[in-house]
């Protein structure tokens, strides 16, 4: 099969079994953690009603607590929608939450301003934004991909687990990549297998030009979410989880052209930086991962040259371990600071 690279005999089966074991015993969220998340959302709703009794505010949970890619330790991502735009000032929400013994930290100047919460009672973290609804659509998109093929969930969760263990999953403070960027990379990889495991869900060309959308604050939100039609799409591809992880590490160690290529889940193929006009000017675009809806955004913008070099070394390290017969646990060994 084109693009197939040999994994030493016998190791592929064993690696698949190890990934599934980690997935089932350590990554799949526990019933208890799901209950804690539910309790937190209920508590948070009560705080909103108490503090803003006159305002109509809707709570939408998005991100890994609902897209099928969360662990027991994942945070709860929440988007509030309201016509009371005063609430878009994160300090308003911050003040209310502090009255209820929540520990909070505001990031007011981010592209999407958020309040980060730590609830010391339920011992759970949450990120809250107000009126940023795009994330609800990309969450539904990820849910769709997860439902299409049984390999998606364990594969993407294994990738996320590796990035967290190796400290390359922290866009805000670590200067590496967000979980969302990693998930885009992993899903795009499954789209580009021969034959493909995942389909392209978006229409061939956005009905609106990227620059026009950006200027108008409008985004084409359409994509194919007909799971009944798409289920079993990847059946012609029989690659195992172990082989896929091995090939993923190899691709981003030695095959992906960081200088010229752009990962585009929207297109299901690689684009070029030149094609997107991302080959010149500032900000420097080093690792390019196009946001599928807001196509003018680079999800790799948080990583600079030095950290992309570090990320690439991590891919090479993981690939070398597997090639030499090492285990998934070795690949995910906790990173030791020098
Ligand atoms: N998101 C986004 N654009 C980004 C980062 C995040 O739209 N640049 C949205 C996505 O909907 C994503 C959600 O915010 O699913 C949560 O992001 P993140 O916490 O990075 O990912 P999770 O999937 O929640 O992963 P984790 O389990 O690590 O929390
Ligand atoms: Mg999250």
């Amino acid at each position: 099969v084109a693009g197939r690279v040999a994994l030493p005999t016998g190791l592929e089966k064993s690696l698949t079994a190890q990934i599934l074991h980690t997935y089932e015993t350590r990554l799949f969220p526990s019933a208890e953690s799901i209950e804690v998340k539910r309790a937190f959302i209920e508590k948070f709703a009560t705080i909103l009603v108490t503090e803003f009794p006159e305002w109509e505010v809707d709570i939408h949970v998005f991100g890994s607590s609902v897209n099928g890619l969360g662990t027991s330790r994942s945070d709860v991502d929440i988007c509030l929608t309201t016509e009371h735009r005063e609430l878009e000032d994160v300090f308003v929400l911050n003040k209310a939450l502090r009255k209820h013994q929540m520990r909070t930290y505001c990031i007011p100047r981010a592209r999407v301003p958020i309040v980060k919460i730590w609830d010391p009672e339920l011992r759970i973290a949450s990120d809250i934004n107000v009126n940023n609804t795009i994330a609800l659509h990309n969450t539904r998109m990820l849910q769709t991909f997860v439902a299409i093929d049984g390999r998606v969930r364990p594969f993407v969760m294994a990738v996320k687990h590796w990035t967290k263990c190796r400290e390359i999953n922290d866009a805000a403070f670590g200067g590496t990549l967000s979980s969302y960027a990693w998930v885009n990379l992993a899903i795009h990889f499954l789209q580009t297998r021969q034959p493909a495991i995942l389909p392209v869900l978006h229409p061939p060309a956005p009905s609106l030009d990227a620059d026009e959308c950006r200027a108008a604050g409008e985004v084409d939100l359409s994509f194919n979410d007909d799971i009944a039609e798409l289920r079993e799409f990847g059946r012609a591809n029989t690659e195992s989880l172990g082989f896929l992880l091995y090939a993923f590490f190899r691709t981003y160690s030695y095959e992906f052209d960081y200088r010229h290529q752009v990962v585009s889940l929207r297109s299901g193929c690689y684009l070029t930086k030149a094609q997107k006009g991302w080959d010149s000017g500032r900000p420097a675009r080093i690792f390019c991962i196009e946001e599928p809806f807001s196509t003018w955004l680079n999800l790799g913008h948080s990583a600079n040259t030095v950290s992309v070099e570090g990320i690439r070394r991590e891919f090479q390290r993981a690939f070398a371990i597997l090639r030499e017969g090492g285990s998934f646990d070795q690949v995910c060994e906790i990173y030791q600071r020098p």
Side-chain angles (χ1 to χ4, degrees):
V1 178
R4 204 174 159 100
V5 282
L7 180 63
T9 335
L11 291 178
E12 182 178 333
K13 267 201 174 134
S14 151
L15 181 57
T16 299
Q18 291 165 34
I19 294 168
L20 279 174
H21 179 75
T22 302
Y23 170 68
E24 281 158 15
T25 59
R26 292 169 58 197
L27 304 182
F28 198 84
S30 66
E32 188 194 349
S33 74
I34 293 167
E35 173 52 27
V36 170
K37 289 191 169 100
R38 195 203 53 74
F40 173 79
I41 294 160
E42 199 175 290
K43 179 173 170 183
F44 180 71
T46 309
I47 294 176
L48 287 183
V49 173
T50 312
E51 295 299 323
F52 308 104
E54 308 294 321
W55 294 1
E56 198 170 306
V57 182
D58 290 321
I59 299 178
H60 310 266
V61 181
F62 68 101
S64 66
S65 359
V66 291
N67 66 17
L69 302 170
T71 64
S72 296
R73 296 170 61 183
S74 291
D75 64 354
V76 184
D77 297 293
I78 292 177
C79 166
L80 302 180
T81 52
T82 178
E83 286 178 0
H84 287 274
R85 304 206 46 185
E86 301 94 304
L87 202 58
E88 287 176 15
D89 174 354
V90 287
F91 292 106
V92 173
L93 187 61
N94 183 55
K95 198 170 153 202
L97 288 164
R98 288 199 167 188
K99 286 197 227 162
H100 296 263
Q101 285 72 52
M102 295 285 191
R103 291 189 203 149
T104 59
Y105 180 81
C106 291
I107 309 185
R109 274 176 295 275
R111 183 176 56 79
V112 178
I114 59 169
V115 184
K116 289 183 102 52
I117 303 180
W118 170 254
D119 179 344
E121 183 203 9
L122 292 171
R123 305 191 59 74
I124 190 163
S126 180
D127 282 357
I128 318 283
N129 77 64
V130 182
N131 290 338
N132 174 53
T133 51
I134 293 260
L136 307 181
H137 298 278
N138 64 35
T139 293
R140 203 161 49 80
M141 174 196 75
L142 296 181
Q143 282 169 340
T144 308
F145 279 121
V146 168
I148 292 172
D149 189 281
R151 286 165 289 188
V152 180
R153 195 172 183 196
F155 175 73
V156 178
M157 286 183 77
V159 169
K160 274 177 73 176
H161 176 60
W162 165 69
T163 64
K164 289 188 183 191
C165 294
R166 299 304 299 170
E167 294 193 17
I168 49 175
N169 180 319
D170 186 358
F173 302 105
T176 52
L177 299 177
S178 66
S179 281
Y180 182 57
W182 282 112
V183 171
N184 266 264
L185 206 66
I187 290 193
H188 176 266
F189 175 76
L190 299 179
Q191 287 178 318
T192 53
R193 300 311 299 156
Q194 295 290 342
I197 292 177
L198 287 174
V200 173
L201 299 182
H202 290 84
S207 54
L208 299 163
D209 172 76
D211 287 327
E212 285 170 21
C213 290
R214 178 186 202 163
E218 254 180 69
V219 174
D220 179 4
L221 295 170
S222 63
F223 68 92
N224 183 357
D225 62 354
D226 185 348
I227 292 167
E229 177 213 323
L230 296 166
R231 210 182 288 275
E232 308 295 323
F233 171 92
R235 210 174 352 189
N237 179 309
T238 57
E239 289 169 333
S240 68
L241 280 175
F243 176 76
L244 288 168
L245 193 67
Y246 175 78
F248 178 70
F249 290 146
R250 182 182 165 120
T251 298
Y252 285 96
S253 292
Y254 301 111
E255 291 164 9
F256 178 66
D257 178 355
Y258 288 75
R259 275 171 79 110
H260 301 104
Q261 286 182 307
V262 176
V263 173
S264 171
L265 180 151
R266 184 183 181 96
S267 320
C269 61
Y270 296 109
L271 304 177
T272 64
K273 292 187 188 180
Q275 225 174 328
K276 286 195 64 72
W278 283 4
D279 53 345
S280 60
R282 301 199 64 83
R285 293 182 170 100
I286 298 139
F287 196 169
C288 289
I289 309 166
E290 176 193 63
E291 207 290 322
F293 294 92
S294 308
T295 56
W296 60 90
L297 293 177
N298 175 20
L299 297 174
H301 77 103
S302 48
N304 64 20
T305 315
V306 175
S307 72
V308 172
E309 208 29 66
I311 288 169
R312 191 167 183 184
R313 270 201 307 276
E314 283 299 328
F315 277 116
Q316 291 170 345
R317 169 191 169 276
F319 179 67
I321 289 173
L322 295 186
R323 194 189 46 210
E324 279 146 34
S327 66
F328 183 55
D329 276 348
Q330 274 171 281
V331 167
C332 298
E333 200 173 286
I334 300 295
Y335 177 74
Q336 303 288 341
R337 283 166 195 275

